Amino acid sequence: MNRQLLHTPEGVRDIYSEECARKLALEERIRSVFHLYGYEDIETPTFEFFDIFNKERGSVTSSEMFKFFDRDNNTLVLRPDMTPSIARCVAKYYMDEQGPVRLCYVAPSFINSTSYQGRMKESTQTGAELIGDDSSDGDAEMIAMVIASLKAAGLEEFQVELGQVEFYRGLVEESGMDQETQEKLRELIENKNFFGVEELLTEQTMARELKEVFLKLPELFGDIAQIRLARSLTTNRRALRAIERLEQIQEILDCYGLGDYVSYDLGMLSKYSYYTGIIFKAYTYGVGDYIVTGGRYDKLLVQFGKDAAAVGFAIVVDQLMLALSRQKLGPQVSMTEIMVLYEQTARVAAIRLAGQFRERGVAVQLTSRNPEHDTWFYQDYALRNHIHTLLYLEGDGSQITVCDLKGHKNVVQTTAEYAKSLIEKAASASADPGAGKMAGTSVDSASGTMTEEGNV
């Protein structure tokens, strides 16, 4: 067999077993937060026409996209970014809606990054978009949802950093720099390259006071008090309005009781040109990159025919998973812990017993014993697959052997008695709401009855 067939292409990977279960549980926790804030789910196609993500939309460059052709020779793209896709959907299905539209999603995105960057080419994002609200309250709601989502995911230490692209754009508009120079300066400021900024500015003709502001930009970060100091650096009205907006957001976040989770950085400048106001990222320790990115994009939807303000964010699920793993946090998941192993002659009893478990929300594997394998084979298999209890039915199925694989103990009793104890335990759990769900139960191998382990 060609072993090459077993490998994945560079930049993608398989996710399976417990890791896959944790990822799905994490996505569901975050989705629940979105729903609590009144957001509705949306799914967009994995690939769309190239023009949805072209340069004018401000997404990634053409060279970073996975492109291919359909049978009509149209250029198609695996989506590199969810925001333009959702903007297209809103323009198509909510064209006449004057009120706010709240949408959320979980979806893969694809960026054809170079291999030396060490990033995966496929990543999962979950996020939310608020369309039709241009207020600072809308901005603050996004930040509040980010914080609530990260807390629901299990993170305990993280920081959301806010910037304002209008501050920088007001200054470059005043400076009269050409587009190419603006882009070079943006990269230098975002990378906190003080010497590069100074060198570039010496080649430009502009007021000394304006040069001083650009030189200070990489240093303008910290709490809201630090950002207020930037008022004294400029009289540019567009830049001052940007600071006012950040002050309003801080005031609203304080009403949420979330002000301490936020810091500010006027030198934060996104490569996505569709951002028009606040931009933000969230960081935690254990990973070297952001786990959340977002911002306001009031001029994107008009390119699809609907003139509406918008703000949104995306949580990079894979980065969040990595951070949670390294911090030994995150959702604990309940894998299948029970196997019902049966001889062919005990099939009816085994199927009935498995059904009783499943009716009560307990996951169970039902396995017919192969005569070529002894019970030790199945015990080893069970332990390899995190199964801790093996229920073995042989003969006519009237007796059951309860094998506690963790404690290496076996108990033999009648199947009828075992089923009765299962039903009694379920009734007890139903009568006592504090007893938890049956999904959090396991078999007590010493007695053959169901015992609570608590909900995961």
Side-chain angles (χ1 to χ4, degrees), residues 25-37 39 103-106 126-129 140-156 158 160 258 261 280 282 291-293 313-317 320-321 324 330-331:
L26 178 63
E27 291 170 357
E28 188 54 39
R29 284 189 180 189
I30 295 172
R31 191 197 296 267
S32 296
V33 172
F34 297 162
H35 292 169
L36 288 174
Y37 277 74
Y39 286 71
L103 301 171
C104 61
Y105 61 87
V106 178
T126 180
E129 312 290 338
E141 180 175 297
M142 287 290 108
I143 306 301
M145 284 177 62
V146 167
I147 295 169
S149 297
L150 296 182
K151 291 171 72 174
L155 272 188
E156 299 172 356
F158 60 89
V160 182
L258 302 174
Y261 286 95
F280 52 89
I291 54 175
V292 182
T293 180
F313 67 87
I315 298 173
V316 187
V317 176
L320 178 56
M321 285 276 292
L324 289 169

Side-chain angles (χ1 to χ4, degrees), residues 315-336:
I315 298 173
V316 187
V317 176
D318 309 87
Q319 290 282 10
L320 178 56
M321 285 276 292
L322 181 60
L324 289 169
S325 174
R326 290 178 175 174
Q327 296 179 32
K328 303 188 185 312
L329 299 170
Q332 299 299 309
V333 294
S334 178
M335 307 297 287
T336 304

Side-chain angles (χ1 to χ4, degrees), residues 130-362:
L130 173 56
I131 315 295
D133 185 340
D134 64 356
S135 69
S136 52
D137 293 87
D139 293 341
E141 180 175 297
M142 287 290 108
I143 306 301
M145 284 177 62
V146 167
I147 295 169
S149 297
L150 296 182
K151 291 171 72 174
L155 272 188
E156 299 172 356
E157 297 182 40
F158 60 89
Q159 192 75 20
V160 182
E161 194 171 69
L162 271 68
Q164 237 290 9
V165 298
E166 283 295 284
F167 187 86
Y168 173 75
R169 289 176 183 170
L171 298 177
V172 295
E173 180 183 57
E174 182 181 342
S175 71
M177 284 185 285
D178 59 52
Q179 192 65 40
E180 183 180 350
T181 305
Q182 290 181 31
E183 181 59 23
K184 287 181 181 178
L185 183 59
R186 181 197 66 78
E187 291 181 4
L188 292 169
I189 291 174
E190 191 169 19
N191 293 328
K192 300 289 190 287
N193 188 339
F194 296 87
F195 297 110
V197 171
E198 186 174 8
E199 183 178 353
L200 180 63
L201 291 176
T202 57
E203 302 170 359
Q204 305 300 313
T205 303
M206 65 180 74
R208 182 178 60 82
E209 294 79 7
L210 190 55
K211 284 187 178 182
E212 288 296 323
V213 181
F214 283 123
L215 288 170
K216 286 279 187 182
L217 258 181
E219 304 174 27
L220 296 177
F221 61 91
D223 59 20
I224 194 64
Q226 285 290 108
I227 302 308
R228 289 191 176 110
L229 294 176
R231 287 179 174 279
S232 62
L233 299 176
T234 182
T235 58
N236 185 285
R237 295 184 63 183
R238 189 174 176 183
L240 292 175
R241 284 196 300 269
I243 295 175
E244 290 171 6
R245 183 73 167 214
L246 293 179
E247 291 175 323
Q248 292 167 7
I249 293 169
Q250 178 68 45
E251 182 179 345
I252 299 168
L253 288 174
D254 287 339
C255 293
Y256 279 99
L258 302 174
D260 291 342
Y261 286 95
V262 176
S263 62
Y264 297 86
D265 183 0
L266 289 177
M268 182 194 300
L269 303 169
S270 175
K271 67 176 183 179
Y272 287 4
S273 61
Y274 56 61
Y275 286 131
T276 59
I278 70 157
I279 55 174
F280 52 89
K281 296 179 179 179
Y283 299 89
T284 187
Y285 66 88
V287 290
D289 209 345
Y290 57 81
I291 54 175
V292 182
T293 180
R296 177 163 289 280
Y297 52 99
D298 290 344
K299 301 302 181 183
L300 179 60
L301 272 85
V302 73
Q303 298 183 40
F304 296 96
K306 180 179 175 66
D307 192 0
V311 61
F313 67 87
I315 298 173
V316 187
V317 176
D318 309 87
Q319 290 282 10
L320 178 56
M321 285 276 292
L322 181 60
L324 289 169
S325 174
R326 290 178 175 174
Q327 296 179 32
K328 303 188 185 312
L329 299 170
Q332 299 299 309
V333 294
S334 178
M335 307 297 287
T336 304
E337 295 188 359
I338 300 173
M339 175 193 287
V340 175
L341 177 68
Y342 64 94
E343 305 282 356
Q344 287 293 310
T345 54
R347 180 192 296 121
V348 173
I351 292 175
R352 184 180 297 122
L353 179 61
Q356 290 176 322
F357 273 110
R358 291 165 181 161
E359 286 171 5
R360 289 158 180 80
V362 180

Side-chain angles (χ1 to χ4, degrees), residues 317-436:
V317 176
D318 309 87
Q319 290 282 10
L320 178 56
M321 285 276 292
L322 181 60
L324 289 169
S325 174
R326 290 178 175 174
Q327 296 179 32
K328 303 188 185 312
L329 299 170
Q332 299 299 309
V333 294
S334 178
M335 307 297 287
T336 304
E337 295 188 359
I338 300 173
M339 175 193 287
V340 175
L341 177 68
Y342 64 94
E343 305 282 356
Q344 287 293 310
T345 54
R347 180 192 296 121
V348 173
I351 292 175
R352 184 180 297 122
L353 179 61
Q356 290 176 322
F357 273 110
R358 291 165 181 161
E359 286 171 5
R360 289 158 180 80
V362 180
V364 58
Q365 286 189 11
L366 186 60
T367 303
S368 172
R369 179 185 167 188
N370 186 330
E372 296 181 4
H373 299 307
D374 58 23
T375 55
W376 291 107
F377 170 87
Y378 290 99
Q379 290 186 28
D380 289 341
Y381 166 84
L383 287 171
R384 289 197 307 272
N385 288 276
H386 312 290
I387 295 171
H388 299 144
T389 303
L390 188 148
L391 308 176
Y392 180 39
L393 283 76
E394 52 187 327
D396 62 359
S398 60
Q399 282 195 320
I400 184 171
T401 303
V402 183
C403 305
D404 177 6
L405 303 180
K406 291 188 292 186
H408 304 289
K409 295 181 293 184
N410 295 344
V411 175
V412 180
Q413 65 180 127
T414 67
T415 305
E417 289 175 347
Y418 183 84
K420 181 182 178 182
S421 69
L422 172 63
I423 294 170
E424 289 175 349
K425 187 60 185 180
S428 174
S430 177
D432 180 8

